[in-house]
Amino acid sequence: MTSSSSSSFSLSYSYVEAVNPNLLCCICRTPFNVPATTKSCSHTFCWECICSAIAVLPQCPIDRSPLSLEDVSLASPIVRHMVSELPVYCTHRSLGCDHQCERQLLEHHLKDECLYEPLPCPERKCDQFIKRKDLKSHSHPDDHQSCTTCDLKFPDASHASGCPDAQVSCEHQPHGCRWTGRQADRPDHLERCPYEPLKEFFLMNSKRITALEAENQRLKDRLEELAFVFDRSRHDVHAMKYLLHPWFKLPANASHNPTTSSSTSSPTGTMPLNGTDFFPHSSSQPDEHDPFPEIFEGETQHTLFPPHRIPFQYPHLLPPDHTAPPTSISVAPLDLDGTLEHTFTSLRDSVVVLAKTVEHTGRRHDIALTTENVRVAEELAGVKAAVRGIRQQVHRIMMERVPGNEMGDKRMDPDMMVSGNPYLRSVLGSYPALTKSIPTTSVTKL
Amino acid sequence: MGSIATRRLAKELRELSLECPTGIKILSANDFHTWRLSIEVMGDSLYQGQVFALQFIFDAQYPIASPEVTFVSDEHYKAPIHPHVYSNGHICASILGTEWSPILSVAAVCVTMQSMLASCKKLERPPDNDRYVRHAPKSPKNTRFVYDDDTV
């Protein structure tokens, strides 16, 4: 209690505002510091003030009633808080600190924050107190000038550029001078040093080397950058080559370019499949890709059949005999020796030819069907006439067998007879429908 | 000088500079050791028109311990002729001795002296003045006064 009070009491506060007189200790005339109240007469003082007053005279300074240290206790919390929260300026305001805070926080500010708080030398080398803001620039004279060679306690002006007795080497040592000696002798040596006249050259040389190194580094960086771009491009080329596999060819006039040929030679070896293995006859029959080159020579520009998008399929994934069906019709294999564009063009031509053929075949089928229909209709008419003859004959036979008086006035309708007879109905019933189903339109169309 | 004494005296000096009690003026207060103030009794009294000077000498224990207060007696100022004031300027007043309290101040002492002089009925020296002055210690605080007069 007393120690903490004395430590904080050493602070001399500078209050921002005028303090309520009720909070002033009448002994020190300042706001209470660790307020203490007497039990007997309820007067409040600073703890230290009343303690020292009692030590001199054991009575209350205000009403002179007898008082001992036991009669003094800490003041009520409200009083303590009121004085603790009084706004104060930093103790180092005169030095430049503008900080202001509650009185109870000032100790923390000084301990941890205030840039103007004097602190002891961090290395304990001197007895100075240094402001916190100057701590970094604080140094000691002997930090720089202590001489390790000679016994000088306090290095003087002769040590400004080092101890004269110190063993040093020539400043041209990096260039090859092997001289070593006392620091004081170095100027003499420099006059005789063979490297001294070359000093300017060395300087220029080292500058050039530095510039070249910098440029080298720049070029290295650029090279790395380009290598990265190249790797990415090579990856793209691989992917393209994989897609284009059988048609991937170098332009004939690019073969003299060593860069291109060397870059493509190794990836080709890494390709998993070689398309020519599945098309062994492609090179032997290079000219049979179009079986009808002359037939539709003049009709290649066909607007009715726009270029079809051929679904992509890896040629080597197809069965080897897919392009050669067992029928006598033979389809030419893909030309893998030409360019991709050429292959696409020839495929499109084939499609055009196929479309023509399909249309042609369709027309022939139509004609054949119509001819067949006419023949069937004629035959049907003949059959109908025959059936009618048979019916009349059957009718007559039935009339002959049945007596005329038994029949009466009833006329026998042949259709009624047919419908009454289950057998006849099953044979002839669907006949009229047959005649109607013949498509006359197709006949007239011809 | 103790820090309490310094701060306390600084505060008192600031207050006195702002506003002095009537009839009291600061003559010199250049440090926190010795102050001199002039004192004049206002109103109807035996000392009308006279100006005296009080000298305060503080020690590090102020305000716990009383200051040493005397009337100046030199070529400029004379100690007032008063039953409790010796001719050498020493004052026999209880508040400057056993009755001192830390709550008293320079201004309070001055006002007390004013009132002591104002209430004087008869201009005379203390009865044992010559004997006391001859043997008096330098500081009146070393004198053991007997305070027998309660009228002043």
Side-chain angles (χ1 to χ4, degrees), chain A residues 185-292:
Chain A
D185 296 338
R186 191 150 73 167
D188 293 340
H189 162 74
L190 277 182
E191 286 176 12
R192 295 191 305 272
C193 182
Y195 294 91
E196 182 67 9
L198 296 171
K199 193 163 72 175
E200 289 302 315
F201 169 75
F202 286 139
L203 195 68
M204 195 185 69
N205 217 19
S206 60
K207 267 186 195 168
R208 278 188 58 191
I209 288 174
T210 314
L212 284 174
E213 274 172 353
E215 193 186 351
N216 202 14
Q217 186 56 42
R218 242 187 355 260
L219 290 174
K220 262 188 202 165
D221 292 349
R222 180 84 184 122
L223 186 67
E224 251 173 51
E225 198 180 310
L226 288 176
F228 174 72
V229 173
F230 174 72
D231 272 353
R232 214 175 40 192
S233 307
R234 198 168 66 172
H235 186 260
D236 290 349
V237 168
H238 276 206
M240 292 307 294
K241 251 200 268 185
Y242 187 70
L243 291 178
L244 288 175
H245 182 49
W247 288 282
F248 177 73
K249 281 184 190 68
L250 290 174
N253 57 358
S255 59
H256 67 273
N257 190 340
T259 325
T260 322
S261 62
S262 67
S263 67
T264 52
S265 60
S266 61
T268 319
T270 60
M271 290 300 256
L273 287 169
N274 192 346
T276 52
D277 292 344
F278 293 99
F279 299 94
H281 54 283
S282 62
S283 56
S284 60
Q285 299 172 330
D287 300 323
E288 291 184 5
H289 67 282
D290 194 350
F292 319 106

Side-chain angles (χ1 to χ4, degrees), chain A residues 333-353:
Chain A
L334 285 169
D335 177 16
L336 297 174
D337 290 334
T339 61
L340 184 63
E341 187 189 4
H342 182 239
T343 311
F344 276 134
T345 314
S346 68
L347 279 176
R348 187 186 170 279
D349 290 347
S350 303
V351 169
V352 169
V353 167

Side-chain angles (χ1 to χ4, degrees), chain A residues 299-357:
Chain A
E299 297 181 31
T300 42
Q301 295 297 324
H302 214 281
T303 51
L304 280 177
F305 295 91
H308 289 266
R309 185 180 174 82
I310 302 168
F312 181 79
Q313 242 180 338
Y314 288 116
H316 53 261
L317 294 182
L318 299 172
D321 55 349
H322 179 81
T323 54
T327 58
S328 59
I329 302 166
S330 68
V331 177
L334 285 169
D335 177 16
L336 297 174
D337 290 334
T339 61
L340 184 63
E341 187 189 4
H342 182 239
T343 311
F344 276 134
T345 314
S346 68
L347 279 176
R348 187 186 170 279
D349 290 347
S350 303
V351 169
V352 169
V353 167
L354 273 178
K356 288 271 176 197
T357 315

Side-chain angles (χ1 to χ4, degrees), chain B residues 62-77:
Chain B
Y62 182 83
I64 306 298
S66 62
E68 180 190 315
V69 184
T70 52
F71 276 105
V72 178
S73 176
D74 58 14
E75 59 267 31
H76 297 295
Y77 296 99

